[in-house]
Amino acid sequence: VESKNMRVNTNMSSIAALLVATSSRAVTAFSSRSVGPARALTARHMSTGPMPYDEDKMPIYALGMNIGMQISQQTDFKNLLEDAEMEILLAGFTDVVKGENTANPMEVLQKYGPAVNNLLRERMEGIMDKVKKDGEEYIEGFLDCNEEAKKTESGLVYYEMKAGDGASPVVEDEVEVHYHGTLTDGTVFDSSVDRGATIKFKLGQVIKGWQEGLAMMKEGGKATLVIPPQLAYGDAGSGGAVPPGATLKFEVELFKVNP
């Protein structure tokens, strides 16, 4: 949940960089910085099962997954493109990688780069508006269902699950916590609980919602924090894990405060 200055990346997107790494003028697109409550990211949970290829072919498949993960962490194409459009994107990628493209990639990017930016900008703004509205409705519903929850002036929602009896942290302190972070649809994007280990970090190094929420807790306490985007990752989101404009929900247990 590390707090960073989020901004639209005015350089080439990661996918454009993969296709035409020699050009810095071809196209600009959107990307987001990575997430991590203490510099650690848990990928969204996916089901495990048999590998899709024989053992000797899996390293090649793993290479493809690695490239896909890097691209997805920069731009959320899954939500930006329709299925048919995704096929076209993959066709362009494949043509360049295999050297089977009939058009010069540089010329294509120079010609259609502005259209790429306009397309991504319009769709990201539309998605972000919906995500923000969903977050506002989630907060209203959470407050309605939890009478003891309170909303602060900043917009943070704090709901005490278990009262603590120790010290309350300030931003200069190091804290040791367990946390379980989800989006408003229940998707787990990061969880020290799932990793099975508590985590320590300086409170001043994390997002504002955590700074405010943990300061309301005491050692030994547990609380739910519902954090609106202005106190989380804002309009930039964070990689492929946290969408732009997302409201986040954390269950946090505070074990230790170290001044």
Side-chain angles (χ1 to χ4, degrees), residues 55-75:
E55 192 68 17
D56 61 333
K57 295 182 175 62
M58 280 306 299
I60 304 301
Y61 183 74
L63 174 61
M65 292 189 74
N66 183 50
I67 295 172
M69 288 172 61
Q70 292 182 50
I71 294 172
S72 296
Q73 288 174 0
Q74 294 296 316
T75 306

Side-chain angles (χ1 to χ4, degrees), residues 201-236:
F201 52 86
K202 289 285 188 180
L203 188 55
Q205 296 177 343
V206 296
I207 59 175
K208 292 180 180 179
W210 269 60
Q211 292 180 22
E212 181 179 356
L214 266 70
M216 300 169 69
M217 300 177 66
K218 296 181 181 296
E219 284 181 331
K222 185 174 183 179
T224 295
L225 309 178
V226 183
I227 306 177
Q230 69 270 19
L231 301 178
Y233 294 101
D235 290 351

Side-chain angles (χ1 to χ4, degrees), residues 14-201:
S14 57
I15 189 165
L18 284 168
L19 298 181
V20 285
T22 58
S23 174
S24 61
R25 298 172 300 168
V27 58
T28 59
F30 296 94
S31 68
S32 303
R33 297 185 181 184
S34 61
V35 64
R39 299 177 175 84
L41 170 65
T42 298
R44 295 186 183 185
H45 294 285
M46 304 182 72
S47 59
T48 57
M51 293 295 105
Y53 293 96
D54 293 337
E55 192 68 17
D56 61 333
K57 295 182 175 62
M58 280 306 299
I60 304 301
Y61 183 74
L63 174 61
M65 292 189 74
N66 183 50
I67 295 172
M69 288 172 61
Q70 292 182 50
I71 294 172
S72 296
Q73 288 174 0
Q74 294 296 316
T75 306
D76 189 10
F77 288 110
K78 177 172 65 70
N79 290 318
L80 287 174
L81 301 179
E82 302 290 340
D83 289 345
E85 293 172 331
M86 185 71 78
E87 293 298 324
I88 297 173
L89 181 149
L90 294 175
F93 178 85
T94 301
D95 286 348
V96 171
V97 171
K98 295 175 69 175
E100 296 178 352
N101 45 292
T102 57
N104 185 314
M106 294 296 299
E107 293 178 357
V108 171
L109 288 171
Q110 289 170 356
K111 181 176 181 180
Y112 294 102
V116 169
N117 285 322
N118 290 336
L119 175 69
L120 295 181
R121 183 179 300 111
E122 290 173 1
R123 294 195 181 181
M124 289 190 73
E125 288 175 351
I127 291 174
M128 183 169 61
D129 289 344
K130 183 180 185 304
V131 169
K132 284 185 175 181
K133 183 178 179 181
D134 289 346
E136 292 170 357
E137 293 176 351
Y138 182 86
I139 288 176
E140 291 177 6
F142 188 89
L143 290 170
D144 288 341
C145 295
N146 299 278
E147 294 182 358
E148 295 180 358
K150 53 187 176 182
K151 185 177 180 181
T152 69
E153 291 184 2
S154 69
L156 173 73
V157 174
Y158 180 87
Y159 176 64
E160 186 174 81
M161 303 170 69
K162 184 179 78 170
D165 56 7
S168 293
V170 295
V171 292
E172 294 83 10
D173 292 339
E174 179 186 76
V175 295
E176 180 179 359
V177 303
H178 247 333
Y179 65 90
H180 187 69
T182 61
L183 305 178
T184 56
D185 65 0
T187 300
V188 179
F189 66 88
D190 200 3
S191 174
S192 70
V193 175
D194 289 350
R195 289 194 295 272
T198 60
I199 196 164
K200 296 179 181 179
F201 52 86

